[in-house]
PDB file of all heavy atoms in Angstrom:
ATOM      1  N   GLU A  17     -27.994  -8.300   6.514  1.00 90.00           N
ATOM      2  CA  GLU A  17     -26.626  -8.316   6.943  1.00 90.00           C
ATOM      3  C   GLU A  17     -26.082  -6.899   6.970  1.00 90.00           C
ATOM      4  O   GLU A  17     -26.243  -6.204   6.013  1.00 90.00           O
ATOM      5  CB  GLU A  17     -25.746  -9.137   5.945  1.00 90.00           C
ATOM      6  CG  GLU A  17     -25.422 -10.562   6.386  1.00 90.00           C
ATOM      7  CD  GLU A  17     -26.356 -11.570   5.747  1.00 90.00           C
ATOM      8  OE1 GLU A  17     -26.888 -11.255   4.666  1.00 90.00           O
ATOM      9  OE2 GLU A  17     -26.584 -12.628   6.370  1.00 90.00           O
ATOM     10  N   HIS A 114     -26.454  -3.205  -5.836  1.00 96.00           N
ATOM     11  CA  HIS A 114     -26.137  -4.436  -5.090  1.00 96.00           C
ATOM     12  C   HIS A 114     -25.942  -5.648  -6.068  1.00 96.00           C
ATOM     13  O   HIS A 114     -25.078  -6.474  -5.847  1.00 96.00           O
ATOM     14  CB  HIS A 114     -27.314  -4.718  -4.166  1.00 96.00           C
ATOM     15  CG  HIS A 114     -27.172  -5.922  -3.336  1.00 96.00           C
ATOM     16  ND1 HIS A 114     -26.569  -5.883  -2.102  1.00 96.00           N
ATOM     17  CD2 HIS A 114     -27.602  -7.189  -3.526  1.00 96.00           C
ATOM     18  CE1 HIS A 114     -26.593  -7.133  -1.581  1.00 96.00           C
ATOM     19  NE2 HIS A 114     -27.210  -7.944  -2.436  1.00 96.00           N
ATOM     20  N   HIS A 118     -22.608  -8.047  -6.625  1.00 96.00           N
ATOM     21  CA  HIS A 118     -22.504  -9.495  -6.503  1.00 96.00           C
ATOM     22  C   HIS A 118     -21.573 -10.026  -7.609  1.00 96.00           C
ATOM     23  O   HIS A 118     -20.801 -10.967  -7.379  1.00 96.00           O
ATOM     24  CB  HIS A 118     -23.888 -10.152  -6.605  1.00 96.00           C
ATOM     25  CG  HIS A 118     -24.547 -10.413  -5.256  1.00 96.00           C
ATOM     26  ND1 HIS A 118     -23.942 -11.169  -4.288  1.00 96.00           N
ATOM     27  CD2 HIS A 118     -25.697  -9.982  -4.724  1.00 96.00           C
ATOM     28  CE1 HIS A 118     -24.760 -11.225  -3.205  1.00 96.00           C
ATOM     29  NE2 HIS A 118     -25.813 -10.496  -3.470  1.00 96.00           N
ATOM     30  N   SER A 144     -29.709 -15.705  -5.053  1.00 93.00           N
ATOM     31  CA  SER A 144     -29.730 -15.403  -3.632  1.00 93.00           C
ATOM     32  C   SER A 144     -31.149 -15.481  -3.110  1.00 93.00           C
ATOM     33  O   SER A 144     -32.046 -15.960  -3.796  1.00 93.00           O
ATOM     34  CB  SER A 144     -29.136 -14.046  -3.396  1.00 93.00           C
ATOM     35  OG  SER A 144     -30.069 -13.068  -3.839  1.00 93.00           O
ATOM     36  N   GLY A 145     -31.359 -15.034  -1.863  1.00 91.00           N
ATOM     37  CA  GLY A 145     -32.693 -15.025  -1.288  1.00 91.00           C
ATOM     38  C   GLY A 145     -33.592 -14.034  -1.983  1.00 91.00           C
ATOM     39  O   GLY A 145     -34.818 -14.155  -1.895  1.00 91.00           O
ATOM     40  N   GLY A 146     -33.004 -13.016  -2.598  1.00 90.00           N
ATOM     41  CA  GLY A 146     -33.792 -11.955  -3.230  1.00 90.00           C
ATOM     42  C   GLY A 146     -33.741 -11.935  -4.746  1.00 90.00           C
ATOM     43  O   GLY A 146     -34.595 -11.334  -5.424  1.00 90.00           O
ATOM     44  N   HIS A 147     -32.789 -12.637  -5.348  1.00 92.00           N
ATOM     45  CA  HIS A 147     -32.556 -12.518  -6.798  1.00 92.00           C
ATOM     46  C   HIS A 147     -32.162 -13.796  -7.455  1.00 92.00           C
ATOM     47  O   HIS A 147     -31.521 -14.684  -6.846  1.00 92.00           O
ATOM     48  CB  HIS A 147     -31.485 -11.463  -7.055  1.00 92.00           C
ATOM     49  CG  HIS A 147     -31.648 -10.225  -6.236  1.00 92.00           C
ATOM     50  ND1 HIS A 147     -32.520  -9.267  -6.577  1.00 92.00           N
ATOM     51  CD2 HIS A 147     -31.053  -9.848  -5.087  1.00 92.00           C
ATOM     52  CE1 HIS A 147     -32.498  -8.346  -5.661  1.00 92.00           C
ATOM     53  NE2 HIS A 147     -31.602  -8.667  -4.739  1.00 92.00           N
ATOM     54  N   GLY A 171     -33.323 -18.786  -3.753  1.00 97.00           N
ATOM     55  CA  GLY A 171     -33.082 -18.884  -2.342  1.00 97.00           C
ATOM     56  C   GLY A 171     -34.437 -18.836  -1.587  1.00 97.00           C
ATOM     57  O   GLY A 171     -34.663 -19.520  -0.603  1.00 97.00           O
ATOM     58  N   GLU A 172     -35.289 -17.963  -2.090  1.00 95.00           N
ATOM     59  CA  GLU A 172     -36.651 -17.840  -1.476  1.00 95.00           C
ATOM     60  C   GLU A 172     -37.418 -19.159  -1.618  1.00 95.00           C
ATOM     61  O   GLU A 172     -38.111 -19.581  -0.711  1.00 95.00           O
ATOM     62  CB  GLU A 172     -37.355 -16.700  -2.260  1.00 95.00           C
ATOM     63  CG  GLU A 172     -38.547 -16.095  -1.563  1.00 95.00           C
ATOM     64  CD  GLU A 172     -39.112 -14.957  -2.464  1.00 95.00           C
ATOM     65  OE1 GLU A 172     -38.494 -14.546  -3.486  1.00 95.00           O
ATOM     66  OE2 GLU A 172     -40.207 -14.487  -2.135  1.00 95.00           O
ATOM     67  N   PHE A 174     -36.042 -22.140  -1.829  1.00 98.00           N
ATOM     68  CA  PHE A 174     -35.460 -23.066  -0.833  1.00 98.00           C
ATOM     69  C   PHE A 174     -36.061 -22.756   0.553  1.00 98.00           C
ATOM     70  O   PHE A 174     -36.471 -23.675   1.291  1.00 98.00           O
ATOM     71  CB  PHE A 174     -33.940 -22.858  -0.779  1.00 98.00           C
ATOM     72  CG  PHE A 174     -33.171 -23.773  -1.684  1.00 98.00           C
ATOM     73  CD1 PHE A 174     -32.490 -23.271  -2.812  1.00 98.00           C
ATOM     74  CD2 PHE A 174     -33.075 -25.119  -1.416  1.00 98.00           C
ATOM     75  CE1 PHE A 174     -31.782 -24.120  -3.655  1.00 98.00           C
ATOM     76  CE2 PHE A 174     -32.322 -25.997  -2.266  1.00 98.00           C
ATOM     77  CZ  PHE A 174     -31.702 -25.461  -3.398  1.00 98.00           C
ATOM     78  N   ASP A 175     -36.116 -21.464   0.904  1.00 96.00           N
ATOM     79  CA  ASP A 175     -36.526 -21.080   2.265  1.00 96.00           C
ATOM     80  C   ASP A 175     -38.001 -21.358   2.496  1.00 96.00           C
ATOM     81  O   ASP A 175     -38.420 -21.834   3.568  1.00 96.00           O
ATOM     82  CB  ASP A 175     -36.210 -19.615   2.537  1.00 96.00           C
ATOM     83  CG  ASP A 175     -34.734 -19.346   2.500  1.00 96.00           C
ATOM     84  OD1 ASP A 175     -33.935 -20.293   2.718  1.00 96.00           O
ATOM     85  OD2 ASP A 175     -34.318 -18.164   2.257  1.00 96.00           O
ATOM     86  N   PRO A 186     -32.922 -19.162   7.752  1.00 89.00           N
ATOM     87  CA  PRO A 186     -33.138 -19.588   6.387  1.00 89.00           C
ATOM     88  C   PRO A 186     -32.948 -21.112   6.237  1.00 89.00           C
ATOM     89  O   PRO A 186     -31.947 -21.634   6.685  1.00 89.00           O
ATOM     90  CB  PRO A 186     -32.097 -18.804   5.610  1.00 89.00           C
ATOM     91  CG  PRO A 186     -30.967 -18.610   6.597  1.00 89.00           C
ATOM     92  CD  PRO A 186     -31.556 -18.634   7.966  1.00 89.00           C
ATOM     93  N   GLY A 187     -33.900 -21.778   5.628  1.00 94.00           N
ATOM     94  CA  GLY A 187     -33.887 -23.230   5.548  1.00 94.00           C
ATOM     95  C   GLY A 187     -33.090 -23.847   4.420  1.00 94.00           C
ATOM     96  O   GLY A 187     -32.853 -25.061   4.378  1.00 94.00           O
ATOM     97  N   GLY A 188     -32.612 -22.980   3.474  1.00 96.00           N
ATOM     98  CA  GLY A 188     -31.837 -23.459   2.291  1.00 96.00           C
ATOM     99  C   GLY A 188     -30.666 -24.348   2.742  1.00 96.00           C
ATOM    100  O   GLY A 188     -30.540 -25.511   2.257  1.00 96.00           O
ATOM    101  N   PRO A 189     -29.826 -23.874   3.656  1.00 96.00           N
ATOM    102  CA  PRO A 189     -28.665 -24.728   4.075  1.00 96.00           C
ATOM    103  C   PRO A 189     -29.107 -26.099   4.692  1.00 96.00           C
ATOM    104  O   PRO A 189     -28.425 -27.086   4.526  1.00 96.00           O
ATOM    105  CB  PRO A 189     -27.956 -23.878   5.124  1.00 96.00           C
ATOM    106  CG  PRO A 189     -28.390 -22.461   4.806  1.00 96.00           C
ATOM    107  CD  PRO A 189     -29.756 -22.571   4.262  1.00 96.00           C
ATOM    108  N   ASP A 192     -30.010 -28.548   1.975  1.00 98.00           N
ATOM    109  CA  ASP A 192     -28.734 -29.014   1.417  1.00 98.00           C
ATOM    110  C   ASP A 192     -28.159 -30.154   2.302  1.00 98.00           C
ATOM    111  O   ASP A 192     -27.716 -31.183   1.839  1.00 98.00           O
ATOM    112  CB  ASP A 192     -27.768 -27.803   1.375  1.00 98.00           C
ATOM    113  CG  ASP A 192     -26.497 -28.099   0.577  1.00 98.00           C
ATOM    114  OD1 ASP A 192     -26.308 -29.225   0.159  1.00 98.00           O
ATOM    115  OD2 ASP A 192     -25.697 -27.146   0.417  1.00 98.00           O
ATOM    116  N   GLY A 278     -24.002 -14.932  -5.239  1.00 94.00           N
ATOM    117  CA  GLY A 278     -25.145 -14.956  -4.350  1.00 94.00           C
ATOM    118  C   GLY A 278     -25.103 -16.135  -3.395  1.00 94.00           C
ATOM    119  O   GLY A 278     -24.401 -17.104  -3.615  1.00 94.00           O
ATOM    120  N   GLY A 279     -25.895 -16.003  -2.348  1.00 92.00           N
ATOM    121  CA  GLY A 279     -25.861 -16.954  -1.209  1.00 92.00           C
ATOM    122  C   GLY A 279     -26.168 -18.401  -1.601  1.00 92.00           C
ATOM    123  O   GLY A 279     -25.638 -19.366  -1.007  1.00 92.00           O
ATOM    124  N   VAL A 280     -27.010 -18.633  -2.609  1.00 97.00           N
ATOM    125  CA  VAL A 280     -27.343 -20.053  -3.021  1.00 97.00           C
ATOM    126  C   VAL A 280     -26.117 -20.737  -3.612  1.00 97.00           C
ATOM    127  O   VAL A 280     -26.125 -21.934  -3.754  1.00 97.00           O
ATOM    128  CB  VAL A 280     -28.603 -20.054  -3.906  1.00 97.00           C
ATOM    129  CG1 VAL A 280     -29.036 -21.464  -4.277  1.00 97.00           C
ATOM    130  CG2 VAL A 280     -29.778 -19.378  -3.241  1.00 97.00           C
ATOM    131  N   ALA A 282     -23.673 -21.401  -2.272  1.00 93.00           N
ATOM    132  CA  ALA A 282     -23.179 -22.296  -1.262  1.00 93.00           C
ATOM    133  C   ALA A 282     -23.740 -23.712  -1.429  1.00 93.00           C
ATOM    134  O   ALA A 282     -23.208 -24.678  -0.845  1.00 93.00           O
ATOM    135  CB  ALA A 282     -23.533 -21.772   0.130  1.00 93.00           C
ATOM    136  N   ASN A 283     -24.814 -23.819  -2.150  1.00 97.00           N
ATOM    137  CA  ASN A 283     -25.488 -25.155  -2.278  1.00 97.00           C
ATOM    138  C   ASN A 283     -24.534 -26.181  -2.886  1.00 97.00           C
ATOM    139  O   ASN A 283     -24.027 -25.982  -4.011  1.00 97.00           O
ATOM    140  CB  ASN A 283     -26.746 -25.015  -3.126  1.00 97.00           C
ATOM    141  CG  ASN A 283     -27.507 -26.323  -3.157  1.00 97.00           C
ATOM    142  OD1 ASN A 283     -27.365 -27.086  -4.061  1.00 97.00           O
ATOM    143  ND2 ASN A 283     -28.329 -26.570  -2.145  1.00 97.00           N
ATOM    144  N   SER A 284     -24.337 -27.296  -2.197  1.00 96.00           N
ATOM    145  CA  SER A 284     -23.340 -28.258  -2.650  1.00 96.00           C
ATOM    146  C   SER A 284     -23.747 -28.925  -3.968  1.00 96.00           C
ATOM    147  O   SER A 284     -22.846 -29.169  -4.802  1.00 96.00           O
ATOM    148  CB  SER A 284     -23.108 -29.283  -1.529  1.00 96.00           C
ATOM    149  OG  SER A 284     -24.263 -29.855  -1.144  1.00 96.00           O
ATOM    150  N   PHE A 306     -17.117 -18.245  -0.095  1.00 90.00           N
ATOM    151  CA  PHE A 306     -18.510 -18.101   0.417  1.00 90.00           C
ATOM    152  C   PHE A 306     -18.765 -16.719   1.041  1.00 90.00           C
ATOM    153  O   PHE A 306     -19.852 -16.143   0.861  1.00 90.00           O
ATOM    154  CB  PHE A 306     -18.773 -19.224   1.427  1.00 90.00           C
ATOM    155  CG  PHE A 306     -20.165 -19.128   1.979  1.00 90.00           C
ATOM    156  CD1 PHE A 306     -21.245 -19.276   1.101  1.00 90.00           C
ATOM    157  CD2 PHE A 306     -20.417 -18.978   3.319  1.00 90.00           C
ATOM    158  CE1 PHE A 306     -22.584 -19.224   1.601  1.00 90.00           C
ATOM    159  CE2 PHE A 306     -21.700 -18.914   3.814  1.00 90.00           C
ATOM    160  CZ  PHE A 306     -22.788 -19.034   2.923  1.00 90.00           C
ATOM    161  N   CYS A 309     -19.978 -14.480  -1.458  1.00 92.00           N
ATOM    162  CA  CYS A 309     -21.191 -14.894  -2.144  1.00 92.00           C
ATOM    163  C   CYS A 309     -22.419 -14.367  -1.414  1.00 92.00           C
ATOM    164  O   CYS A 309     -23.317 -13.784  -2.062  1.00 92.00           O
ATOM    165  CB  CYS A 309     -21.303 -16.426  -2.219  1.00 92.00           C
ATOM    166  SG  CYS A 309     -20.272 -17.152  -3.453  1.00 92.00           S
ATOM    167  N   THR A 310     -22.480 -14.543  -0.076  1.00 90.00           N
ATOM    168  CA  THR A 310     -23.590 -13.998   0.617  1.00 90.00           C
ATOM    169  C   THR A 310     -23.390 -12.490   0.761  1.00 90.00           C
ATOM    170  O   THR A 310     -22.326 -11.972   0.422  1.00 90.00           O
ATOM    171  CB  THR A 310     -23.618 -14.615   2.067  1.00 90.00           C
ATOM    172  OG1 THR A 310     -22.362 -14.423   2.642  1.00 90.00           O
ATOM    173  CG2 THR A 310     -23.954 -16.105   2.016  1.00 90.00           C
ATOM    174  N   ASP A 311     -24.434 -11.785   1.222  1.00 93.00           N
ATOM    175  CA  ASP A 311     -24.327 -10.341   1.264  1.00 93.00           C
ATOM    176  C   ASP A 311     -23.128  -9.866   2.088  1.00 93.00           C
ATOM    177  O   ASP A 311     -22.923 -10.316   3.209  1.00 93.00           O
ATOM    178  CB  ASP A 311     -25.613  -9.756   1.784  1.00 93.00           C
ATOM    179  CG  ASP A 311     -26.728  -9.870   0.748  1.00 93.00           C
ATOM    180  OD1 ASP A 311     -26.384 -10.148  -0.425  1.00 93.00           O
ATOM    181  OD2 ASP A 311     -27.880  -9.584   1.053  1.00 93.00           O
TER     182      ASP A 311
HETATM  183  O1  KG4 B   1     -27.011 -13.729  -0.867  1.00 80.26           O
HETATM  184  P1  KG4 B   1     -27.696 -14.050   0.444  1.00 80.26           P
HETATM  185  O2  KG4 B   1     -26.875 -14.175   1.651  1.00 80.26           O
HETATM  186  O3  KG4 B   1     -28.771 -12.998   0.807  1.00 80.26           O
HETATM  187  C1  KG4 B   1     -29.629 -12.414  -0.105  1.00 80.26           C
HETATM  188  O4  KG4 B   1     -29.250 -11.451  -0.814  1.00 80.26           O
HETATM  189  O5  KG4 B   1     -30.721 -12.996  -0.162  1.00 80.26           O
HETATM  190  O6  KG4 B   1     -28.534 -15.421   0.185  1.00 80.26           O
HETATM  191  C2  KG4 B   1     -29.256 -16.039   1.174  1.00 80.26           C
HETATM  192  C3  KG4 B   1     -30.010 -17.165   0.583  1.00 80.26           C
HETATM  193  C4  KG4 B   1     -31.086 -17.745   1.511  1.00 80.26           C
HETATM  194  O7  KG4 B   1     -32.281 -17.881   0.772  1.00 80.26           O
HETATM  195  C5  KG4 B   1     -30.467 -19.105   1.877  1.00 80.26           C
HETATM  196  O8  KG4 B   1     -31.412 -20.082   2.182  1.00 80.26           O
HETATM  197  C6  KG4 B   1     -29.707 -19.452   0.660  1.00 80.26           C
HETATM  198  O9  KG4 B   1     -29.107 -18.259   0.250  1.00 80.26           O
HETATM  199  N1  KG4 B   1     -28.697 -20.502   0.931  1.00 80.26           N
HETATM  200  C7  KG4 B   1     -28.746 -21.754   0.478  1.00 80.26           C
HETATM  201  C8  KG4 B   1     -27.615 -22.408   0.983  1.00 80.26           C
HETATM  202  N2  KG4 B   1     -26.853 -21.521   1.713  1.00 80.26           N
HETATM  203  C9  KG4 B   1     -27.547 -20.335   1.657  1.00 80.26           C
HETATM  204  N3  KG4 B   1     -29.668 -22.338  -0.275  1.00 80.26           N
HETATM  205  C10 KG4 B   1     -29.452 -23.648  -0.571  1.00 80.26           C
HETATM  206  N4  KG4 B   1     -28.388 -24.341  -0.129  1.00 80.26           N
HETATM  207  C11 KG4 B   1     -27.438 -23.791   0.638  1.00 80.26           C
HETATM  208  N5  KG4 B   1     -26.384 -24.480   1.085  1.00 80.26           N
END
Side-chain angles (χ1 to χ4, degrees):
E17 259 98 26
H114 181 89
H118 266 302
S144 72
H147 314 282
E172 199 178 350
F174 268 110
D175 297 337
D192 191 355
V280 183
N283 184 266
S284 53
F306 183 59
C309 281
T310 53
D311 286 349

